[in-house]
Structures are given as C-alpha cells and as structure tokens.
Amino acid sequence: EACAAAGIRFVGPSPKVLRTLGDKVAAKAAAVAANVPTLPATGELPVDPEACKPLVAAVGYPVMMKASWGGGGRGMRVIESEAELLPQMESARREAKAAFGNDAVYVEKLVRRARHVEVQILGDTHGQLVHLFERDCTVQRRNQKVVERAPAPYLDAATRESLCASAVRLCQSVGYSHAGTVEFLMDADTGLFYFIEVNPRIQVEHTVTEMVTGVDLVAAQIRVTEGAHIGEPGLPKQADLRLSGHALQCRVTTEDPENGFTPDHGRVSAYRSPAGFGIRLDGGTVYSNAVVTPHYDSLLVKVTAWAPEANVAIRRM
C-alpha cells in the first residue's frame, strides 16, 4: 500500500491477497470456500486457556498447534492430549510473539506420517494463472526444510494433476498474481493430501522448479509487474510447461551439531565451492576465512543439482 501510494510497483501479490494468505486461518477458510481439501482445525484460539479446551477436543487429539501469522517452524507444537494443551500453548504463543509480533495460534489435526509437498504457481495481473508442478520438502529439521526435490518421487499422474489443480483453484479464487507456493500435507498411509498454507512470495527452494521447468521465476515476477500476460515471453502457458529431469536442493547452513543443530557463528576455516555440470549455487558470501556473524539466518548457500534421472541427481549432489 505504501508502494502504491508512492507510485511504485510492488513485485508481488496485492495487499488484499497478502492480508488473506498471510493469516493461516483466513487462508484455510479460503481453501474451504474453493473446495480444496483441508484438515479439521480450529479457528484462532481465544486468549482464555479454558475456552480453548473444548475447541481443540472437537478437532480430536493428537493435534498440531501453529502460529497464525508465522512460518519456518516457529510456534509449532505437537500436542498429544489435553494435559499438554495449556503448557504447550503458552510456549507456542511466547515463541510466536517473539518471532512475528503476534501470539495468535490455532490447531489442526495431526497427520502422523506426513509428506510435505508444495505446488509452485505463477499468475499475471490479468487473471491468468499456471502451476509449475510440485516440490517435495519432507526432509526437515525442527520443522524447517533442509532438502527439497522436484518432481515429488511418489506422485502418480492423477494425484499430481489433482494436487496442482487444487493449488490453481485456490489462488484463482483470491485473485493471486506473481509467484507463490501452495503447501500441502500428504498422508503417507492414505495418499490423501490437505492444504496447509500459502507462501505468497518466491521461496528458497524455487531453484529446483527452475531447473526442471526452465522458467526463471524471478524474471517472470518482474515481467508480471511490468504488466505482461501469461503466454508472453518468460511467462509460458500451462500447455507449454513440461517437467525435464530431476533436481534437488540442499541448504548449506552454519549449525552446531553438538547443540541440537542450532544456528552457530564464527570463522570459516576452509571452504571449497562445488562446481560442474548440473550444479547451481545460490549465495556466495561464504569463503575461506569468512566470518559468519550471529546477526543473520544460518543459511549460507543453496546447492542445487540436476540430472535427467533422479538417482544421478542425488549422486551429483
């Protein structure tokens, strides 16, 4: 809104879309309205702890508590029974407040054996929207993604089509433009998928999608901001999008393995940058004798490996 008032074009969705999708409870309501599968959940939980008990019980234990305004694993708690509800909620609210300036939380039904799969979407400002298939980001630590790959190795064609169509349907219903990610949980036992949230922006793991589709998502966002239509150069139509090969991304981070892999800082004694066919690096501020400060995220470099076959891409990584 400040950009619009100053006559500046903002690269990203409209303020209205950001307000809807930035609130996970509102986003879930939009998904329900768009006939996208969702997990049983509460709305935003009331401040009174006792008033929360029947609401959570109606969802049914075990549940996952989440920050309404957050991401990156902050404010997330698995709650197995009512005895755990109040202490876990207090802890989650405290963490959410510190991380996002808002302590609102809600709960949804826990999927015990879940895969985390997400769909990359891209829309212009004229109502046209496409998907660029999916990524799997199930390998996580502390609910933060560590390894991403595309395409997801366990999806059959029919499930892929249904998953991607659900993502497009939701984003069209709210008037989405630019790049974004629609995230789902897939029950590993049933194969059913459920919407969890939308990241209304470009994500760390966008590189694997770029490697398997050949679309430069950053450049595409700029073209959208300039007013280009889907189908113009850099903004392919859905019928022209194809998956080519396999890609995976690993995050090179500075962490302390003796302290639960928490973010760490200090001097890099030695660093060798990988290179070769099918290897892509995003980052580059790390080098031998570089000093990693405590003032930033622990992510230093993203390494992405591509190959025509999945096992070759994995070996290359």
Side-chain angles (χ1 to χ4, degrees):
E1 288 170 342
C3 286
I8 297 169
R9 295 182 188 179
F10 177 74
V11 181
S14 69
K16 179 181 178 182
V17 168
L18 289 172
R19 279 202 176 90
T20 299
L21 300 180
D23 180 341
K24 292 182 182 179
V25 174
K28 189 177 286 283
V32 171
N35 197 29
V36 173
T38 60
L39 289 164
T42 66
E44 187 174 301
L45 289 173
V47 175
D48 179 7
E50 290 300 319
C52 297
K53 290 182 178 180
L55 300 175
V56 178
V59 172
Y61 293 95
V63 297
M64 175 72 83
M65 179 166 285
K66 295 182 176 181
S68 299
W69 286 83
R74 308 279 181 82
M76 290 181 66
R77 301 288 189 277
V78 173
I79 302 175
E80 300 282 354
S81 66
E82 186 176 282
E84 299 178 6
L85 176 61
L86 299 190
Q88 291 281 46
M89 182 165 61
E90 183 180 339
S91 172
R93 285 190 186 279
R94 191 165 53 246
E95 186 176 29
K97 180 69 173 179
F100 314 116
N102 188 314
D103 68 354
V105 294
Y106 70 103
V107 302
E108 64 186 16
K109 185 68 178 175
L110 177 70
V111 179
R112 186 76 71 181
R113 287 190 356 107
R115 292 181 171 119
H116 194 150
V117 58
E118 57 191 25
V119 177
Q120 176 70 57
I121 54 97
L122 179 66
D124 62 22
T125 56
H126 311 287
Q128 298 173 293
L129 198 140
V130 299
H131 70 79
L132 290 89
F133 307 101
E134 83 289 341
R135 300 183 290 259
D136 175 84
C137 46
T138 303
V139 179
Q140 302 185 13
R141 185 163 59 227
R142 300 188 308 276
N143 297 312
Q144 299 203 33
K145 300 167 187 174
V146 178
V147 178
E148 290 90 13
R149 61 184 295 184
Y154 46 79
L155 287 187
D156 56 50
T159 304
R160 173 174 287 115
E161 182 177 350
S162 179
L163 181 79
C164 294
S166 292
V168 170
R169 190 164 63 250
L170 169 59
C171 290
Q172 284 179 329
S173 74
V174 298
Y176 198 95
S177 65
H178 295 79
T181 304
V182 185
E183 303 204 9
F184 297 86
L185 289 181
M186 177 170 283
D187 190 319
D189 296 319
T190 66
L192 299 175
F193 62 82
Y194 306 95
F195 167 80
I196 49 173
E197 66 185 63
V198 177
N199 279 287
R201 55 179 172 81
I202 203 101
Q203 281 192 279
V204 172
E205 56 269 30
H206 77 277
T207 64
V208 292
T209 294
E210 292 187 337
M211 296 287 269
V212 297
T213 63
V215 177
D216 185 328
L217 288 167
V218 176
Q221 288 211 122
I222 296 172
R223 295 281 290 126
V224 168
T225 307
E226 293 172 338
H229 291 72
I230 294 291
E232 294 183 18
L235 298 173
K237 295 179 181 178
Q238 191 68 67
D240 297 329
L241 286 162
R242 297 283 187 277
L243 284 169
S244 175
H246 297 259
L248 69 154
Q249 180 198 98
C250 289
R251 306 189 186 194
V252 180
T253 59
T254 171
E255 297 177 333
D256 182 357
E258 295 181 351
N259 189 28
F261 291 94
T262 52
D264 201 2
H265 58 276
R267 185 176 298 277
V268 177
S269 58
Y271 177 78
R272 180 175 62 84
S273 185
F277 178 78
I279 296 295
R280 167 178 170 170
L281 296 180
D282 289 75
T285 57
V286 58
Y287 49 88
S288 296
N289 291 317
V291 175
V292 179
T293 77
H295 306 300
Y296 301 94
D297 188 90
S298 61
L299 176 61
L300 300 178
V301 182
K302 302 180 294 183
V303 183
T304 309
W306 176 92
E309 299 172 352
N311 61 338
V312 178
I314 291 167
R315 286 202 301 270
R316 190 165 284 165
M317 175 63 75

